[in-house]
Amino acid sequence: MKISWEWLEDYGKISLSPSELAEVLTHSGLEVESLSEWRPAFQSVIVARLDSFQAHPKNGHLSVCQVYDGQRDYSIVCGAPNLKAGERVALALEGAVLPSGVKIGQAEFQGVPSEGMLCSEQELGLSDDSSGIMFLDPSLPLGVPLEKAMNLGDWIFELNITPNRSDCLCMVGVAREIAALTGQKLRHPLGKKAKEAMAAENQTSVVIERPDLCPRYVAKLIYGIQIAPSPFWMRRRLQAVGVRAINNIVDVTNYVMMEMGQPLHAFDFDRLEQRRIVVRPANPGEYFTTLDGINRPMPDEALMICDGEKPVALAGIMGGLNSEVQPETKNILLESAYFDPMGIRRTSKRIDLTTEASLRFERGIDPNGCLPAAERAASLMIELGGGLAIRGAVDNYPRKIEPSRIFLRAARVNQILGTALRGDEIRDYLQSLELKVEPDGSESFQVIPPTFRVDLLREIDLIEEVARRHGFHRIPVTLPSGRVGGEKKTKIQRAAEQARNLLVACGFFEVINYSFISPKILRDLKLSPKDRRLTALPIQNPLSEDQSVMRTTLIPGLLQVARSNAYRKNVDLKIFELGRAFFPRQGQDLPDEVEVLSGLLTGLREEESWYKSKEECDFFDLRGSLETLLEGLGIFDYRFLPGREEPFLHPGKACQIEIDGNVLGTMGEAHPDVNETFELKKKIYLFELDFQELADRMAERRVFKPLVRYPAITRDVALIVEERTLVFDLLRTFWEANNGLIAEIKLFDLYRGNQIPPGKKSLAFRLKYQREDRTLTDQEVNEFHQKMVDLLVQRHGATLR
């Protein structure tokens, strides 16, 4: 919210400097984000009088003007079409510098000398108006620098207004705060009393079909106005607060909104069918073309302002093209209404359209400020556009909104704030903010806040007001006292800490993603319609479509992180996330929350260096990391087995991780289609584990065994088996047949190629034989080893290589 110092001074004298005021406002809770001086970017431009002008002797498009500055006459050649003798004008003297960088000097136009330049508003950088020279107030003294004469210097405050302080989204609201903080009296804006014609009730009517969505609607009529540009002072003030000037009527509605906080809208009264207003909800499937030229579908419960036949405005947000004020408009119906904040916010979000008006309505305005704002605007419209105001206004106000009463205790104020304020100090603080305070006992009050303070509902709200007025910086700072007791970590917390340490030791980085995702991203994983992960829990009031459901898997977040890094040329990643997935529960509001551990691996195996080969990581790097994780948690009875194929993993390059027949999770290479969808060029390797299951199986106590005292004997065996034969099946045969002699089995070679028949592969195992209680003999080992080989040949159709 931008605030103009020069504008603020209309409502009371400010005894502080701009920087002091910024500090005082910030301490009171109205944070000043920036303070900047606003000065014209020109030099040596003075107020002068255009005494006469005549056509240039050689150029009919130019005029030779006689200009007087109070001391001497100047001959100025000018090409402006709007010259008027006797008018005050802006004269740039020789040596003047304009905002465009142009420096004014002695010039000659086809033989006629020119001693300066008569300037337009656009040439002085004061507005976009370049239609002719700038005419000044006739009362301005001649020869005075234009900046000083017109008081063009200003200070602009940019305030960060919190959502609950809608009363400060206007000049009067901020001026009220300043008056309270400085002890000055607030001057409310007053309109000039205009001559009034017939009563408004005889000219139009207002029907409200949904009083819950529109508790009040005021219609004020002004006849016989003349559409024209606004005067410079109004355009200058609107420009200072970031509002573009349009014409005198529309500018008045914006001016009063910025002044009093009440959004207004001006309709061309002659374009309203049946010359009346009907406030109703949108019909199903109804479309409406707003002032920005967009034909929008209207959502359910959207409130429409209609004439006798059609919609003419989207209530509280934007007017329509079919009733806007045009250059030929003569009669105005001025709308000043109060709309339900929730209704306006709901409609604004659904159609993705936010305006200055909707911003104020959805935060809450003063329902009892509608009529004063309409009277103020009507007065300004008549002042700037002529015309005649219709007596009174049509004010449809079915149920008057009365201010509430709040009980306040001085003891409670001091208890909360840690202060020792007296009752009279608390009363004075609140009364300075225009709150009505009535005694209710020796040290308690009944406080009646005005209806423009929509944020004051409870005693604690009033205590905050006392704190603001007293000054947050003056409230004593104390540290809370108490004993801090620590609770033991749960098993899943201990497992999470250990898992993080193990993965970091493997070179992974932890990432944290939002739990809210887009439903589209789940479809991007190619999940089948029956997959429960595709049935995500929707959020009732999402910030956007991209965050509208709760995640059912952590994989999409990791893929998005990989894509974001790839955009920044970081393609070597080892990342993991430990978080929750959410699944809807039939008949219950709250979802089932599942702890999940997911990871992603891509790019180079090791950091690029001159002494290392540039090898890409692969499936086995990911498997090795998971083995380190599982064994670091004390889980050794895991198996990597082919199983249910995940649609987002590459067929034949993925497996599931099992423990005692229970599936712990999946891992593998990402499907090429998923890579393409997420715009990832390198191979991606993923895993996702049920972390709750992992934590339940974690061994927190380690049992150490002494080293075996007796020597080991090793034997190698190379087998040729069918390509489809799993190493796990061979290992299971080894261990099932073990009679206590085998201590360790390792697969140390896999070969396909020459001397190996097509469709087969060669696997070489090294078996370590060892007992803890005695030394094994060669004969004993050889006999058992031969039995093992015979069993493998018999059970798996293997042949010795």
Side-chain angles (χ1 to χ4, degrees):
M1 173 72 184
K2 290 184 177 180
I3 297 295
S4 161
W5 170 280
E6 184 269 335
W7 196 345
L8 281 175
E9 288 190 314
D10 280 4
Y11 314 112
K13 182 176 178 55
I14 303 175
S15 58
L16 304 173
S17 69
S19 58
E20 290 171 338
L21 179 60
E23 184 176 0
V24 168
L25 286 174
T26 299
H27 283 158
S28 73
L30 298 182
E31 180 188 357
V32 178
E33 292 187 326
S34 67
L35 171 63
S36 57
E37 189 173 11
W38 210 42
R39 285 196 169 278
F42 56 77
Q43 302 171 12
S44 301
V45 180
I46 64 171
V47 178
R49 184 180 67 224
L50 176 59
D51 285 340
S52 65
F53 60 93
Q54 58 187 8
H56 190 285
K58 295 182 180 180
N59 190 332
H61 297 291
L62 299 176
S63 300
V64 181
C65 306
Q66 299 303 312
V67 181
Y68 180 63
D69 71 349
Q71 294 184 354
R72 55 162 290 194
D73 291 314
Y74 296 86
S75 178
I76 309 291
V77 177
C78 180
N82 64 331
L83 300 176
K84 287 184 181 179
E87 291 285 348
R88 293 289 200 271
V89 293
L91 172 61
L93 299 173
E94 183 180 354
V97 180
L98 302 184
S100 62
V102 173
K103 187 173 183 179
I104 305 301
Q106 287 282 352
E108 187 175 294
F109 295 89
Q110 294 178 300
V112 178
S114 181
E115 300 176 279
M117 175 179 174
L118 300 183
C119 302
S120 68
E121 292 180 11
Q122 189 269 339
E123 289 164 335
L124 294 175
L126 299 177
S127 78
D128 295 330
D129 185 6
S130 60
S131 59
I133 62 172
M134 181 180 184
F135 292 135
L136 308 178
D137 188 331
S139 64
L140 294 181
L142 297 176
V144 177
L146 185 64
E147 177 183 351
K148 180 179 179 181
M150 297 187 66
N151 194 23
L152 294 177
D154 199 359
W155 289 87
I156 304 300
F157 300 78
E158 189 147 4
L159 305 184
N160 179 14
I161 306 296
T162 53
N164 64 317
R165 292 305 306 275
S166 59
D167 60 300
C168 289
L169 288 172
C170 62
M171 294 293 168
V172 171
V174 176
R176 182 184 294 111
E177 291 289 314
I178 295 171
L181 294 168
T182 59
Q184 302 294 325
K185 185 173 179 60
L186 176 68
R187 292 197 300 264
H188 287 273
L190 298 173
K192 297 179 181 178
K193 186 66 177 175
K195 185 178 179 182
E196 295 181 335
M198 67 287 289
E201 291 83 355
N202 300 328
Q203 303 297 307
T204 188
S205 64
V206 174
V207 175
I208 302 176
E209 294 185 4
R210 287 287 300 273
D212 57 324
L213 298 179
C214 177
R216 187 179 191 185
Y217 193 101
V218 173
K220 180 78 176 173
L221 296 177
I222 306 98
Y223 282 175
I225 56 94
Q226 183 70 40
I227 303 297
S230 296
F232 175 77
W233 65 267
M234 178 172 283
R235 288 184 281 118
R236 180 71 170 171
R237 286 187 170 183
L238 291 176
Q239 182 188 15
V241 295
V243 178
R244 181 174 63 90
I246 298 174
N247 59 51
N248 53 354
I249 301 304
V250 176
D251 291 350
V252 164
T253 63
N254 288 328
Y255 184 89
V256 174
M257 177 178 69
M258 302 307 295
E259 180 183 55
M260 302 179 68
Q262 170 69 51
L264 304 169
H265 187 72
F267 296 101
D268 185 331
F269 188 45
D270 296 325
R271 299 177 71 187
L272 299 181
E273 299 293 340
Q274 301 177 18
R275 300 170 75 84
R276 66 192 185 100
I277 291 293
V278 177
V279 185
R280 63 164 175 81
N283 296 321
E286 188 168 21
Y287 278 73
F288 180 65
T289 303
T290 47
L291 279 171
D292 54 8
I294 300 176
N295 191 27
R296 305 174 186 273
M298 294 294 102
D300 296 340
E301 296 292 300
L303 198 63
M304 308 301 298
I305 308 300
C306 308
D307 58 19
E309 296 181 0
K310 63 185 182 302
V312 292
L314 179 54
I317 301 176
M318 187 176 284
L321 278 178
N322 57 4
S323 61
E324 69 173 329
V325 173
Q326 298 179 325
E328 62 274 12
T329 297
K330 296 298 180 185
N331 303 318
I332 295 292
L333 184 145
L334 180 65
E335 169 192 284
S336 180
Y338 175 76
F339 300 112
D340 173 56
M342 290 299 294
I344 299 300
R345 178 170 177 79
R346 182 167 54 244
T347 301
S348 173
K349 292 302 178 185
R350 287 181 179 176
I351 65 173
D352 192 24
L353 178 61
T354 300
T355 61
E356 289 288 344
S358 70
L359 179 70
R360 287 162 174 77
F361 278 124
E362 66 188 34
R363 293 188 179 192
I365 64 168
D366 181 9
N368 295 316
C370 298
L371 189 56
E375 299 288 356
R376 167 71 166 158
S379 171
L380 286 172
M381 287 180 182
I382 293 170
E383 178 183 341
L384 303 184
L388 191 67
I390 302 305
R391 186 170 67 252
V394 177
D395 187 359
N396 194 334
Y397 198 2
R399 293 191 301 273
K400 185 174 177 60
I401 299 175
E402 300 288 352
S404 58
R405 285 179 170 267
I406 306 173
F407 182 66
L408 177 67
R409 298 160 290 173
R412 183 61 174 165
V413 172
N414 290 317
Q415 179 188 13
I416 293 292
L417 302 183
T419 54
L421 296 173
R422 301 187 309 274
D424 60 329
E425 291 180 289
I426 294 172
R427 181 197 61 217
D428 292 344
Y429 281 155
L430 296 177
Q431 287 179 340
S432 70
L433 295 170
E434 299 188 10
L435 276 65
K436 186 176 180 181
V437 182
E438 298 175 353
D440 190 353
S442 58
E443 289 293 318
S444 59
F445 309 95
Q446 289 284 342
V447 180
I448 306 172
T451 49
F452 61 76
R453 289 303 304 270
V454 296
D455 58 315
L456 302 183
L457 303 172
R458 302 168 298 166
E459 184 181 35
I460 194 67
D461 298 328
L462 297 177
I463 294 174
E464 182 184 356
E465 292 304 293
V466 174
R468 287 195 320 104
R469 281 289 290 108
H470 185 64
F472 290 118
H473 59 295
R474 295 175 59 193
I475 295 176
V477 177
T478 57
L479 293 175
S481 61
R483 295 180 179 178
V484 179
E487 297 238 352
K488 289 185 178 181
K489 293 180 180 179
T490 63
K491 186 172 184 179
I492 197 166
Q493 288 173 332
R494 295 191 295 272
E497 183 178 7
Q498 181 71 358
R500 287 188 173 100
N501 291 337
L502 289 166
L503 287 172
V504 169
C506 291
F508 284 77
F509 289 87
E510 184 175 10
V511 298
I512 301 174
N513 290 303
Y514 288 118
S515 297
F516 312 140
I517 61 173
S518 166
K520 178 183 178 300
I521 205 170
L522 292 174
R523 296 192 293 271
D524 289 342
L525 293 183
K526 316 299 181 186
L527 300 176
S528 70
K530 295 182 179 180
D531 195 316
R532 77 165 184 156
R533 289 172 294 186
L534 204 57
T535 307
L537 185 73
I539 298 169
Q540 287 187 354
N541 188 24
L543 295 174
S544 68
E545 179 65 21
D546 290 339
Q547 294 182 329
S548 59
V549 299
M550 303 294 288
R551 66 185 179 186
T552 54
T553 170
L554 276 55
I555 295 296
L558 297 178
L559 290 170
Q560 286 181 311
V561 170
R563 177 171 58 189
S564 177
N565 277 267
Y567 288 161
R568 293 163 176 79
K569 308 302 181 185
N570 181 25
V571 294
D572 304 322
L573 287 179
K574 283 185 175 181
I575 55 175
F576 75 93
E577 181 173 11
L578 178 55
R580 291 182 179 179
F582 303 84
F583 297 93
R585 289 192 287 186
Q586 188 69 28
Q588 298 191 36
D589 293 333
L590 296 179
D592 184 20
E593 302 183 21
V594 179
E595 295 286 343
V596 177
L597 175 63
S598 298
L600 180 147
L601 189 64
T602 185
L604 294 179
R605 177 173 290 134
E606 295 180 300
E607 185 178 355
E608 186 175 358
S609 176
W610 63 269
Y611 62 88
K612 295 178 183 177
S613 60
K614 297 180 181 180
E615 295 182 355
E616 299 279 335
C617 60
D618 58 21
F619 178 92
F620 296 101
D621 290 290
L622 184 60
R623 172 171 171 160
S625 298
L626 290 179
E627 288 176 340
T628 301
L629 170 67
L630 294 169
E631 293 175 12
L633 294 174
I635 301 171
F636 296 94
D637 53 345
Y638 58 85
R639 299 289 184 268
F640 294 91
L641 296 172
R644 175 175 60 88
E645 289 190 354
E646 288 283 15
F648 56 84
L649 296 179
H650 198 303
K653 296 184 180 180
C655 66
Q656 63 186 30
I657 306 162
E658 291 187 2
I659 301 177
D660 298 335
N662 296 321
V663 177
L664 182 64
T666 57
M667 61 162 286
E669 181 183 330
H671 197 287
D673 290 346
V674 172
N675 272 37
E676 182 178 352
T677 300
F678 285 88
E679 303 175 33
L680 299 169
K681 296 180 180 179
K682 290 202 172 188
K683 291 183 178 180
I684 302 290
Y685 298 93
L686 302 163
F687 75 84
E688 185 158 85
L689 305 176
D690 182 340
F691 192 74
Q692 184 66 60
E693 183 78 14
L694 205 65
D696 291 342
R697 294 178 178 274
M698 180 182 72
E700 296 193 73
R701 297 188 62 186
R702 301 298 178 88
V703 179
F704 293 91
K705 295 182 179 180
L707 296 175
V708 180
R709 297 166 51 195
Y710 301 98
I713 299 174
T714 60
R715 294 285 187 272
D716 294 346
V717 57
L719 302 170
I720 298 175
V721 296
E722 296 289 338
E723 185 66 52
R724 66 176 179 274
T725 301
L726 300 178
V727 173
F728 172 74
D729 292 335
L730 298 176
L731 291 173
R732 182 165 54 186
T733 299
F734 278 121
W735 290 114
E736 286 177 354
N738 182 29
N739 62 354
L741 299 183
I742 303 176
E744 186 180 90
I745 305 173
K746 285 187 178 180
L747 172 69
F748 68 89
D749 184 57
L750 167 64
Y751 177 72
R752 301 179 181 91
N754 294 336
Q755 301 178 359
I756 303 298
K760 296 195 176 186
K761 60 187 175 184
S762 172
L763 300 171
F765 295 91
R766 178 162 294 146
L767 284 73
K768 177 181 175 182
Y769 295 97
Q770 190 176 32
R771 290 290 297 261
E772 297 179 1
D773 57 346
R774 60 186 176 87
T775 301
L776 295 174
T777 65
D778 283 342
Q779 180 179 356
E780 185 180 12
V781 170
N782 290 339
E783 288 178 356
F784 180 76
H785 186 73
Q786 186 59 48
K787 289 181 180 179
M788 292 291 299
V789 171
D790 294 341
L791 181 60
L792 291 170
V793 170
Q794 177 186 350
R795 183 173 294 183
H796 299 287
T799 57
L800 288 175
R801 182 179 171 191

